Amino acid sequence: VVKIGDIELLMSDGMCSGQAEFRGVTLSISVDNDEQAKEKFTAIAEGGKILMDLRKTFFASSWGVCADQFGVNWMVLAPIPVPANA
């Protein structure tokens, strides 16, 4: 169960039969800084594979894509703060 405010989002793998596949789904984790991004990215990618190295982009000081040991794709990012008057 994932809680978003007062909403509980329940996820299911169906009937637990056959080979699990995670096509078309990428989960995202947003963290506060580059150190946390590296820590989370490294932990998720352990036993999986790196699809795009953690790097700086126009929208994040750190952003990368990896698959965990179960084949689930993850984006990890430390967003660039948006000025309050933007």
Side-chain angles (χ1 to χ4, degrees), residues 58-85:
F58 70 93
F59 59 86
S61 59
S62 291
W63 179 78
V65 184
C66 60
D68 67 19
Q69 62 184 336
F70 305 106
V72 178
N73 291 338
W74 293 84
M75 289 186 288
V76 177
L77 72 143
I80 295 173
V82 176
N85 59 357

Side-chain angles (χ1 to χ4, degrees), residues 6-49:
D6 293 334
I7 298 169
E8 287 187 358
L9 179 62
L10 180 62
M11 294 170 266
S12 171
D13 62 356
M15 302 301 283
C16 301
S17 62
Q19 182 68 24
E21 294 184 49
F22 300 98
R23 293 188 194 163
V25 174
T26 300
L27 302 177
S28 180
I29 295 177
S30 183
V31 297
D32 293 332
N33 57 56
D34 295 335
E35 184 179 317
Q36 289 176 349
K38 184 176 181 179
E39 176 185 313
K40 301 295 185 201
F41 187 82
T42 301
I44 293 168
E46 187 174 332
K49 65 181 179 178

